[in-house]
Amino acid sequence: MNHTKKCWAVVPAAGVGKRMQADRPKQYLPLAGKTVIEHTLARLLQSGAFQAVAVAISIEDPYWPELDISQHPNVITAPGGKERADSVLSALKALEGKADENDWVLVHDAARPCLTTEDIHLQIDSLKNDTVGGILALSSHDTLKHVDGNCITTTVDRKHIWRALTPQMFKYGMLRDALQQTEGNPAITDEASALELLGFQPKIVEGRPDNIKITRPEDLALAQFYMEQQT
Ligand SMILES: Nc1ccn([C@@H]2O[C@H](COP(=O)(O)OP(=O)(O)OP(=O)(O)O)[C@@H](O)[C@H]2O)c(=O)n1
Ligand SMILES: C[C@](O)(CO)[C@H](O)COP(=O)(O)O
């Protein structure tokens, strides 16, 4: 029996980036001399932490085959799905026969290009002996309000509210089964929510605040700034 758990990366990269209002999906926008996705994949591959990276790409994506990294020997391409969770499940299925049930999988958004090797190894070292796994997350430095419409209903205790980042690190078999059992549930916007729905309590590991998700137009300049600060 293989007692040494390996680590695999899964990158959902099949979104259209509606909120970015760009002429192409945001993972293909230019950033610091490369595309967003090339930065993200380079960060994962250069960390040395992963056996391979399975990337979910939309079947209608004309950009991916143009990138040299699409031919990288440690990059496996899988067809994207309707929702992010479907894309992640598709990429997990592409690792069938390669990943063992208890290997770790770190799921990381293509739209988060500022991830550091430091945070990858912090997460793996923090969770490698855990029974469930967990996510990188950020605490809030602001007062938090619960709002209904545009009215405040209450002030929320900020120590109980954290912002989920990626990577999200779970065991291959457990994550695959959780996503299969919750398939089609619109509440599943990250991997942890699928595990939570099945009664598990994923851990959090405080990550770096520069691990932003490029979501709206103004995020691209912020990502560029953070990348310049990281070099
Ligand atoms: N069906 C989908 C939807 C999203 N994603 C990926 O999931 C990550 C995080 O999702 P999000 O920021 O919501 O990306 P989009 O869905 O592209 O953005 P939008 O909601 O603005 O369209 C992105 O890397 C995106 O490419 C995916 O692989 N498959
Ligand atoms: C998974 C995620 O990055 C955690 O914050 C996020 O939920 C994905 O982006 P979306 O806007 O929710 O699709």
Side-chain angles (χ1 to χ4, degrees):
M1 177 180 169
N2 178 357
H3 292 280
T4 54
K5 291 175 196 159
K6 302 183 288 292
C7 286
W8 307 81
V10 160
V11 176
V16 297
K18 290 185 294 296
R19 289 167 287 180
M20 204 66 197
Q21 300 166 31
D23 64 348
R24 66 193 63 197
K26 59 191 178 182
Q27 55 272 34
Y28 296 109
L29 290 175
L31 171 65
K34 294 193 285 196
T35 60
V36 169
I37 191 171
E38 286 173 295
H39 284 290
T40 303
L41 294 177
R43 300 280 176 120
L44 293 167
L45 291 165
Q46 288 163 8
S47 72
F50 304 107
Q51 301 292 314
V53 181
V55 190
I57 298 289
S58 168
I59 54 174
E60 296 159 1
D61 179 339
Y63 304 100
W64 176 246
E66 303 302 311
L67 301 182
D68 290 345
I69 204 160
S70 69
Q71 304 307 311
H72 191 289
N74 289 347
V75 171
I76 300 162
T77 306
K82 180 172 178 295
E83 302 297 336
R84 181 183 176 282
D86 304 312
S87 296
V88 171
L89 183 55
S90 172
L92 288 173
K93 288 176 178 172
L95 292 175
E96 213 156 308
K98 297 181 175 64
D100 294 328
E101 288 292 284
N102 285 322
D103 281 355
W104 290 108
V105 172
L106 279 73
V107 182
H108 183 62
D109 295 329
R112 291 184 187 269
C114 300
L115 175 67
T116 62
T117 292
E118 169 199 353
D119 262 9
I120 292 168
H121 289 288
L122 169 67
Q123 183 171 23
I124 292 170
D125 291 343
S126 303
L127 298 173
K128 63 188 174 188
N129 297 317
D130 194 88
T131 56
V132 175
I135 71 172
L136 289 183
L138 281 181
S139 58
S140 172
H141 298 169
D142 304 301
T143 296
L144 296 174
K145 306 292 185 184
H146 182 278
V147 171
D148 186 0
N150 66 345
C151 293
I152 295 171
T153 53
T154 185
T155 295
V156 182
D157 183 346
R158 73 178 76 174
K159 68 174 177 293
H160 296 304
I161 306 291
W162 285 59
R163 289 161 46 204
L165 305 176
T166 67
Q168 303 206 358
M169 176 177 165
F170 297 104
K171 291 179 182 172
Y172 176 74
M174 185 182 278
L175 179 57
R176 178 204 55 221
D177 295 349
L179 289 174
Q180 283 177 332
Q181 290 174 44
T182 60
E183 208 162 355
N185 184 334
I188 308 303
T189 56
D190 69 348
E191 289 63 59
S193 47
L195 276 291
E196 295 157 39
L197 205 58
L198 300 185
F200 295 102
Q201 289 189 311
K203 305 295 186 301
I204 59 161
V205 176
E206 181 139 24
R208 290 172 52 128
D210 56 2
N211 179 12
I212 63 167
K213 180 164 66 76
I214 295 173
T215 305
R216 294 161 61 105
E218 61 272 20
D219 296 329
L220 211 54
L222 189 54
Q224 170 107 16
F225 168 77
Y226 281 141
M227 282 191 170
E228 289 162 2
Q229 298 303 306
Q230 290 175 349
T231 48

